[in-house]
Amino acid sequence: MQIFATEQIRAWDEYTIRHEPIASVDLMERAATACFEWLLQNNYKGRAFTIFCGKGNNGGDGLVIARLLAQSHHTVTVYILEFGHKGTVDFQMNLARLHDTSASIRFVSSEETLHGIQAGDIVIDALLGSGINRPADGLTAYLIQHINNSNNEVIAIDIPSGLFVDHSGRGNIVIKAHHTLSFQCFKPAFLMPENAAGIGEVHLLDIGLLPGFLSIQDSSLLLIDQPMIRQLLQPRKPFSHKGDYGHAALIAGSYGMMGAAVLCARACLRSGVGKLTCHIPAVGYNILQTSVPEAMCKTGPANESATSGHAAQEMDKYDTIGIGPGLGSNVSNIALLYSVFEQNRRPMVIDADGLNAIAQEKALLNKIPLGSILTPHPKEFERLFGKTANDYDRIQLAQQTATDNNLYIVLKGRYTFIASPDGKGYFNSTGNPGMASGGTGDVLTGIITGLLAQKYSPLHAAILGVYLHGRAGDLAASFASQPSLIASDLVDFLGQAYQSL
């Protein structure tokens, strides 16, 4: 699914208006009707509503919703932000229609003309919409604060007022919505952690925009969804054998952190890899051989408590390598990475302490095999590539870094982001807050390493890996709950994640 910014969304509307064809006021009616139906289907029937409207098309949506609610015998109060201009043509047309209903219409021209919101009313925010290019100020900002201070449940139409669609609004005065009813596709704003307090739960409503637009409009940002994944998934051939599904190596573990190596190895095997060899410190040999009997093990000298160069020899024979989980902050990690990068020039997966070693020795960045996949969380990303002012800048930095270095960067989070060297970016649609638990990143490294060994391209391995990882988390949470979720659960539900496809 494409993720569109403001101009692209407006162009999709215009395309539909021209090619369906449909009048813009009728498209507004269709969008607002979808919102009205959502309200009725989600236990808001019979409630009283206070609706705040600007004089743009977002306000027009609010007026249509108000009319439909009033016509269905709901108590509706509408506040219109008044700055002395008429508003858009579609807004004016729907204001005239609203006058023929029982809705109470009031104009807000100053702070003194604004009344308190009735306790228990559902507040609908249709003030600004997605077309704004500067922060809310003056009376508009005061009105937003008035709504936020009311303690009423707030439902935003299209996007919470005050929020920018495709660049950071950090510091803006923004509506704090409990739900956001948006149209047709995700907007970048919905995927940024900095906006979490404003958007609430996002609901995408299909308003019948013509799909033909998607074939003529490219987007640099896409949402990873099930139709995309089904196209990537490679079925197994009936006469295949383990050699057809790759030989992966994992370089992981240290004294006290062998659990990371175990989780990573189990996930790698469950992802479907043909063979797995784990290069680990000698202190972890019994742990891994007992916990993951399907994996082979190679170790260094018995007196070493961390994975060292002794344990990572003959690395050129593997189809791919995953390195980093549980390595610890050992000073020998830098030399270990230099050695591995020199031995095997195929794309590999680098995570955790592997990334921290690169952050300490920036020259390693130029030694990484082209097409490799880095899987940092935000703090690891910051240590590697520097601080950014906001989430949008971090995404742009990830895209630029991936392009400059011919690497794939998997920036982990609620909507894990994949930056591709071709300039495209992919947000994942699966996963839940229960996955904010130690070890889940090790599982992701194992999954992506296993997929890469199975001859998936680096991009497809990353996309499929993050989707399956999140899908397994969703299935595990639905079985046991989000608070109780642990990393091992993701491995246990990986098979069901595959079956769901």
Side-chain angles (χ1 to χ4, degrees):
M1 178 189 291
Q2 283 135 305
I3 299 168
F4 286 151
T6 304
E7 291 305 317
Q8 294 166 311
I9 295 166
R10 189 175 290 119
W12 198 358
D13 286 345
E14 291 299 324
Y15 178 91
T16 302
I17 289 167
R18 288 197 314 271
H19 291 86
E20 186 170 338
I22 183 173
S24 61
V25 70
D26 293 330
L27 186 59
M28 180 179 287
E29 185 83 13
R30 186 191 291 173
T33 299
C35 296
F36 168 71
E37 291 174 348
W38 184 91
L39 291 169
L40 297 189
Q41 293 164 8
N42 287 272
N43 301 317
Y44 293 97
K45 187 174 182 179
R47 302 289 297 274
F49 293 84
T50 297
I51 302 179
F52 291 88
C53 299
K55 286 193 170 183
N57 284 341
N58 187 239
D61 291 336
L63 295 180
V64 178
I65 294 168
R67 170 166 49 83
L68 295 172
L69 287 167
Q71 289 172 343
S72 55
H73 311 294
H74 290 82
T75 300
V76 180
T77 303
V78 177
Y79 287 94
I80 297 173
L81 191 55
E82 179 59 80
F83 288 121
H85 60 82
K86 288 186 176 181
T88 65
V89 172
D90 292 346
F91 173 90
Q92 285 296 317
M93 192 176 298
N94 279 300
L95 180 58
R97 293 173 179 175
L98 185 63
H99 277 296
D100 294 330
T101 72
S102 61
S104 173
I105 304 172
R106 301 172 183 175
F107 291 87
V108 180
S109 57
S110 66
E111 295 178 13
E112 290 72 27
T113 56
L114 184 60
H115 301 281
I117 302 169
Q118 188 71 32
D121 277 16
I122 302 300
V123 172
I124 303 289
D125 161 37
L127 284 169
L128 299 177
S130 60
I132 65 168
N133 53 23
R134 62 185 179 87
D137 57 10
L139 181 59
T140 306
Y142 180 86
L143 185 51
I144 290 173
Q145 294 281 40
H146 175 74
I147 293 169
N148 288 341
N149 293 335
S150 69
N151 293 320
N152 292 64
E153 184 175 355
V154 180
I155 299 173
I157 305 302
D158 189 29
I159 188 171
S161 291
L163 203 61
F164 297 137
V165 168
D166 45 23
H167 59 281
S168 179
R170 181 166 285 180
N172 285 10
I173 295 174
V174 176
I175 285 285
K176 291 185 170 123
H178 297 81
H179 297 277
T180 296
L181 308 185
S182 199
F183 308 122
Q184 212 70 41
C185 68
F186 272 93
K187 298 172 172 64
F190 299 156
L191 305 167
M192 301 296 171
E194 67 183 57
N195 296 331
I199 60 176
E201 188 174 351
V202 176
H203 309 272
L204 290 187
L205 307 181
D206 187 344
I207 60 170
L209 297 184
L210 293 182
F213 178 78
L214 303 178
S215 64
I216 62 171
Q217 178 64 60
D218 191 28
S219 174
S220 63
L221 297 176
L222 297 101
L223 186 76
I224 302 169
D225 55 13
Q226 193 167 95
M228 180 189 292
I229 293 299
R230 283 179 169 159
Q231 290 181 356
L232 301 183
L233 198 60
Q234 301 171 6
R236 295 213 160 192
K237 297 176 181 177
F239 288 95
S240 57
H241 55 83
K242 65 183 179 182
D244 294 328
Y245 300 107
H247 189 177
L250 290 176
I251 303 172
S254 59
Y255 181 81
M257 288 195 287
M258 285 307 301
V262 170
L263 288 166
C264 192
R266 290 186 62 222
C268 186
L269 288 162
R270 284 290 185 192
S271 76
V273 72
K275 294 189 291 182
L276 172 62
T277 298
C278 295
H279 293 254
I280 58 170
V283 293
Y285 180 79
N286 288 338
I287 295 171
L288 201 82
Q289 289 278 262
T290 303
S291 302
V292 195
E294 298 88 350
M296 296 172 282
C297 284
K298 291 197 172 183
T299 71
N303 61 343
E304 289 187 348
S305 62
T307 307
S308 68
H310 299 290
Q313 300 298 322
E314 300 178 340
M315 303 305 295
D316 59 326
K317 66 184 179 182
Y318 299 112
D319 294 298
T320 194
I321 298 166
I323 184 168
L327 280 181
S329 55
N330 196 298
V331 292
S332 65
N333 287 346
I334 292 173
L336 175 63
L337 261 64
Y338 272 119
S339 174
V340 172
F341 293 164
E342 183 178 338
Q343 291 179 63
N344 192 319
R345 299 304 300 165
R346 300 183 188 96
M348 60 181 66
V349 185
I350 308 168
D351 183 34
D353 291 314
L355 298 174
N356 291 331
I358 297 170
Q360 293 170 25
E361 178 82 4
K362 292 296 174 63
L364 277 167
L365 191 61
N366 298 321
K367 302 293 184 181
I368 300 172
L370 300 182
S372 289
I373 302 168
L374 280 57
T375 60
H377 58 57
K379 277 295 180 186
E380 289 166 344
F381 181 87
E382 183 179 295
R383 287 194 286 268
L384 276 166
F385 306 118
K387 289 186 177 182
T388 53
N390 54 67
D391 295 330
Y392 291 83
D393 288 352
R394 184 186 293 125
I395 293 298
Q396 290 180 354
L397 179 58
Q399 289 181 294
Q400 189 61 53
T401 303
T403 300
D404 292 346
N405 296 279
N406 198 357
L407 298 171
Y408 295 85
I409 298 177
V410 177
L411 183 56
K412 294 180 286 196
R414 169 61 186 92
Y415 295 100
T416 290
F417 178 74
I418 301 169
S420 171
D422 64 2
K424 287 191 178 293
Y426 302 80
F427 285 95
N428 186 38
S429 62
T430 58
N432 63 80
M435 296 169 67
S437 176
T440 56
D442 304 316
V443 172
L444 178 62
T445 298
I447 294 171
I448 297 177
T449 302
L451 293 169
L452 200 54
Q454 293 172 67
K455 306 301 188 291
Y456 283 94
S457 70
L459 176 61
H460 291 173
I463 289 173
L464 185 56
V466 299
Y467 185 91
L468 285 168
H469 181 252
R471 181 70 178 134
D474 290 339
L475 291 166
S478 68
F479 178 78
S481 81
Q482 290 183 14
S484 71
L485 193 68
I486 59 173
S488 296
D489 296 335
L490 305 187
V491 182
D492 294 339
F493 278 86
L494 193 53
Q496 288 190 33
Y498 269 114
Q499 282 187 326
S500 71
L501 301 174

